[in-house]
Amino acid sequence: MAINDVYVPFSDLHAQYLTIKTDIDEAIAEVIRTSAFIRGPFVERFESAFAELMNAQHCVSCANGTDSLYIAMHALGVKAGDEVIAPAHSWISTTETISQLGAKVVFCDTDPDTHTIDPTKISALITPRTVGIVPVHLFGQPADMDSIMALARPNGLWVLEDCAQAHLARYKGQLVGTFGDAASFSFYPGKNLGAMGDAGAVTTNDADLARRMAMFARHGGLTKGDHQIEGINSRLDGLQAAILSVKLRHLTHWTHARQQLAAVYQERLAGIAGVRLPVVAQGREPVWHLYVIRHERRDALAAHLKSRGIQTVVNYPVALPFLPCYKSLSHQPSDFPNAHHDQSRILSLPIFPEMTHEQIEYVASSIAAFGNGTLNTKEAHGDCMMPSGNF
Ligand SMILES: *Cc1c(COP(=O)(O)O)cnc(C)c1O
């Protein structure tokens, strides 16, 4: 139970809905009234609004963020025998889609500060079979795009930016997603721009790539009955598109709210013994999809916060190369020392645009209490989830 009867959820989608309820309800009613469930005006309107906000010429919407990676890499020509370089720390979608196209996943370790792919370790991984790189702007932290592009271009590699956690993040003033050949986005409900179900999109400035992606996502044909190739069925539906169009108008404001909350955490948690704060590299503007600290006694800290009614998450508990599905690659911790080091130390704290001042202060003071060992009697006597012997 929460000690002060404060409950801080990891995120609060219902609180967000309540702030825009009238517009969302009207948008949903309008889709139902016009039965524009698949394709149609709501999808087209969202695609152009999203392309405009992301500073891209084309947006191809699809069923979810995982499909957006799959569709983009299919259109980029990924096939059996190819090798694709991806970071060792990400959500499984980034790499499972590489394997599903028959290519080999080549993991690259992460940079210890930003958790994004370490460009200094990419060169050594490039072989004659390498076709592309998938940098991930993990947690909303921009990857080092200048260094990545400088490696990709002379080697003839394409770059697909996984922007699932990074809508509106900037690198040297430029929006992420505009550096590579294409950018994939997820609108999973909990993402910075979230639908009320599954949804995703790819953006690009390459008209021919956009046409091939749209074709593949729609059974291989852009007009009914005209199947140029065999494709898949991956569509953004009208209801989700209408919901996303309403939410898109608030994305800039919500992003600022996340940035302000992150600034509060950075200030309040600075100097607390044992807490390693997220590092913002020079010239990067993260959008804080996740606010991730590191702590040597991560699980004890998480249990302590839980006992105070604070929900935390580990994104992700096992780095990709060490998951059972990649066992056949026989990777060792020493292959990816930074990603491996992080997996047992990272902890994502609550952060969402509607988070109150009281909530964030409570989280910060609860972390400070753990660091200082200033526990009240109730906790000290074990009426919480703290393992004994930690103080
Ligand atoms: C969420 C996410 C995806 C996949 O998106 P879904 O919409 O859940 O399929 C891909 N990559 C990263 C980094 C993500 O966080």
Side-chain angles (χ1 to χ4, degrees):
M1 255 344 286
I3 286 160
N4 301 328
D5 282 332
V6 184
Y7 172 66
V8 187
F10 187 65
S11 79
D12 192 341
L13 296 180
H14 193 69
Q16 178 167 90
Y17 166 64
L18 293 178
T19 66
I20 50 173
K21 185 177 184 306
T22 312
D23 288 349
I24 293 283
D25 292 357
E26 262 174 32
I28 291 172
E30 182 64 12
V31 177
I32 296 172
R33 197 152 46 231
T34 56
S35 300
F37 297 120
I38 299 294
R39 296 296 317 160
F42 298 99
V43 175
E44 276 161 29
R45 241 173 268 156
F46 174 70
E47 284 180 337
S48 38
F50 189 69
E52 192 182 329
L53 190 64
M54 294 302 136
N55 203 14
Q57 278 163 33
H58 309 276
C59 169
V60 177
S61 62
C62 60
N64 55 68
T66 308
D67 278 6
S68 70
L69 289 157
Y70 183 70
I71 291 163
M73 284 191 279
H74 184 277
L76 287 163
V78 176
K79 57 182 189 321
D82 290 348
E83 293 178 4
V84 177
I85 297 170
H89 189 174
S90 184
W91 174 240
I92 184 78
S93 303
T94 310
T95 52
E96 67 185 350
T97 47
I98 297 169
S99 307
Q100 278 150 12
L101 286 158
K104 183 184 169 200
V105 181
V106 177
F107 290 109
C108 181
D109 201 12
T110 48
D111 164 71
D113 282 344
T114 64
H115 306 276
T116 57
I117 194 165
D118 183 348
T120 66
K121 293 181 178 169
I122 293 177
S123 287
L125 301 171
I126 297 175
T127 76
R129 288 168 177 264
T130 310
V131 293
I133 307 172
V134 188
V136 181
H137 305 297
L138 197 68
F139 308 153
Q141 288 260 26
D144 183 359
M145 290 314 298
D146 277 355
S147 305
I148 294 164
M149 296 314 296
L151 282 163
R153 290 300 180 230
N155 286 294
L157 309 179
W158 50 255
V159 172
L160 169 61
E161 294 176 67
D162 184 338
C163 298
Q165 304 189 359
H167 320 68
L168 294 183
R170 285 173 188 270
Y171 175 88
K172 298 187 181 171
Q174 186 181 333
L175 284 171
V176 301
T178 60
F179 292 86
D181 298 86
S184 66
F185 289 89
S186 166
F187 309 120
Y188 175 83
K191 296 288 161 75
N192 287 22
L193 176 63
M196 292 182 165
D198 275 317
V202 192
T203 57
T204 182
N205 288 331
D206 181 335
D208 190 53
L209 185 68
R211 190 186 55 79
R212 281 181 280 128
M213 292 193 294
M215 188 185 285
F216 181 63
R218 297 182 217 159
H219 296 294
L222 293 175
T223 50
K224 226 182 178 113
D226 176 35
H227 307 283
Q228 300 282 333
I229 53 167
E230 285 183 329
I232 60 170
N233 175 12
S234 182
R235 309 186 267 232
L236 173 68
D237 67 68
L239 282 170
Q240 300 307 335
I243 290 163
L244 286 167
S245 289
V246 171
K247 288 192 162 195
L248 192 64
R249 302 200 289 265
H250 301 273
L251 184 60
T252 303
H253 164 71
W254 287 336
T255 302
H256 288 152
R258 284 179 184 273
Q259 288 166 336
Q260 277 162 11
L261 290 163
V264 173
Y265 272 140
Q266 294 289 78
E267 191 195 315
R268 291 287 186 278
L269 303 181
I272 296 178
V275 175
R276 202 164 146 207
L277 298 179
V279 177
V280 179
Q282 186 77 32
R284 305 198 207 173
E285 290 170 49
V287 292
W288 307 103
H289 171 58
L290 298 168
Y291 183 87
V292 179
I293 61 168
R294 282 172 280 199
H295 200 284
E296 292 296 327
R297 289 184 297 133
R298 187 264 316 273
D299 294 340
L301 174 59
H304 163 77
L305 294 174
K306 187 179 176 188
S307 77
R308 293 182 162 225
I310 298 164
Q311 205 180 17
T312 60
V313 177
V314 175
N315 306 93
Y316 300 92
V318 180
L320 294 174
F322 311 119
L323 286 169
C325 58
Y326 295 116
K327 210 174 163 183
S328 65
L329 299 175
S330 308
H331 283 307
Q332 301 303 312
S334 56
D335 297 339
F336 312 102
N338 296 330
H340 185 263
H341 179 271
D342 285 349
Q343 68 177 25
S344 57
R345 292 169 176 84
I346 47 172
L347 186 67
S348 308
L349 303 181
I351 190 163
F352 50 96
E354 299 73 24
M355 193 177 189
T356 65
H357 184 72
E358 187 197 19
Q359 284 176 319
I360 195 163
E361 290 294 341
Y362 178 64
V363 177
S365 63
S366 298
I367 293 170
F370 180 81
N372 301 333
T374 51
L375 294 173
N376 65 29
T377 2
K378 196 175 169 191
E379 278 179 300
H381 285 91
D383 186 18
C384 69
M385 298 188 61
M386 276 297 304
S388 55
N390 271 299
F391 292 92

